[in-house]
Amino acid sequence: MSDPQVLTSQALTAIGKAQKEEELERIELDYLGRKSGHISQMLSGIGKLQPVERAALGQSANEAKRAIEAALAARRAELEAVRLADLAETEAIDITFPGPELGRGHIHVLTQVRRQIETVLESLGYQVELGPEVETEWYNFEALNISAGHPARENWDSFYFSPELLLRAHTSPVQIRAMQRLKEPPIYIITPGRCYRRDAPEATRLPYFAQVEGLAVDKGLTVGDMKGTLLFMIQSLYGRERKVRVRPSYFPFTEPSFEFDVTCGICGGMGCKSCRHKGWLEVGGCGMVHPQVLRNGGIDPTEWNGYAWGFGIERMAMLKHDVDDIRLFYESDLRFLEQF
Ligand code: DAH
C-alpha cells in the first residue's frame, strides 16, 4: 500500500510542472478519481486494518486529498494569470471582451425644423421644389430684378466660380425655375435649401445657411392671403399664442415688400433681453411678386399675381428653441445636439 505522504509529494511535483489545464485534469483523475485514483486505491484495503490504524490512514488520506485539491486550484489560478498576461501582450484587442454599447443617433435639429415646415405647408397644398446650389448670375440676380450695378446686389454678395456662375445667395432663384418648369398656374411651392454669402461667421450669421422660400401664383392673391398663410405656419410650428406682423421694406423682386416678424417666445411680446426689448423677432422677408419676376418666369402678370417669402431655417430653429448663437447648429457638439 502506498504512503499518503509519498503520494502527496508526487502529486504536488506533477501539479507544479503542469503547463496546461488538460494536464491538471489528468493529474486530478489519477490521484482523486473516485474509482481508480491513487487515493481511492490506497483506501480500498482499509477494511482489513485494525480500528486504530484504520482511523490513522483515513485521516492522512483526507489530508492528502485536501493538499492535492489546494495545489490544483492554486496552479489553475497561476496558469490563468499567465494566459491573461500573454493575451494582453500579444493582442492589444481582446476580441472575447464585450464591446461598448452602440449609441442611438437622431435627426439634426435643423432637419427636424425643415421637415416640420414642409409638413405644415404641404398640408396647405404646397409642393416641395428643389433647385441647384451652384446657380447662374441670371437666376440669382437678373431674373429677380437685381440688375448688374444695382446697389441691392451687395446684400447678396456670394462666392463666384466665374462671372456667370456662383453659389446661390438665396433660394429665390428657385421661384423662377419653378415657374419655368410648372408653366401653368396655380403654383404653390416651397423650396428649402442651402445658401451662401460672403459673411464672416458670428452669432447671427454664417457664410452658409439654409432658407425656405415660398411662392404662390394664382388669380387675385392679396397681402392678406400671404399673411394668413404665414400666420398659420408660425402658429403650427411655435404655438397658437404667437402673433405675427409685417413691416414695409424693400426687395427688388416684390412690390410691395415686407419684413416679417414673430412675437418673442421668451417674453411673449413684452420685451426682454433676448429680443433686445422689442418683443418681436425678425424671421425673413416677403411680399407680392413683382410683375417683371412673373414675366421672367414665363407667366403673364396681367392674368396672374402672386406672393412669396424667404425665411432662414436656422433663424426659425433659433426662434423655436430659444438658441442665441447660429454657430451652435454647425459645431457638432453633442451636448448641444442631444437637447433636441
Ligand atoms: N431672398 C431674400 C433674402 O435672401 C428673402 C426674400 C424676401 C424672399 C422677400 C422672398 C421675398 O421670396 O418675397 O434676403
Side-chain angles (χ1 to χ4, degrees), residues 174-213:
V174 190
Q175 288 189 31
I176 308 292
R177 291 183 176 276
M179 288 187 274
Q180 290 178 335
R181 193 180 75 78
L182 296 165
K183 294 188 177 74
E184 273 298 302
I187 293 171
Y188 287 88
I189 58 124
I190 53 166
T191 155
R194 183 66 65 87
C195 307
Y196 304 84
R197 286 194 203 163
R198 224 185 296 184
D199 282 326
E202 47 179 86
T204 55
R205 64 185 81 236
L206 283 173
Y208 45 87
F209 57 96
Q211 285 187 333
V212 59
E213 187 96 3

Side-chain angles (χ1 to χ4, degrees), residues 51-61:
V52 188
E53 289 176 322
R54 206 189 289 169
L57 183 64
Q59 196 186 346
S60 51

Side-chain angles (χ1 to χ4, degrees), residues 144 146 155-156 169-173 175 195 197 209 211-215 226 250-251 253-259 284-289 307-312:
L144 295 164
I146 319 170
N155 295 336
W156 292 280
H170 47 177
T171 43
S172 301
Q175 288 189 31
C195 307
R197 286 194 203 163
F209 57 96
Q211 285 187 333
V212 59
E213 187 96 3
L215 171 71
M226 177 190 79
Y250 172 72
F251 297 102
F253 34 91
T254 41
E255 183 58 40
S257 305
F258 308 96
E259 299 293 340
C286 56
M288 302 307 287
V289 181
Y307 57 80
W309 73 87
F311 294 171

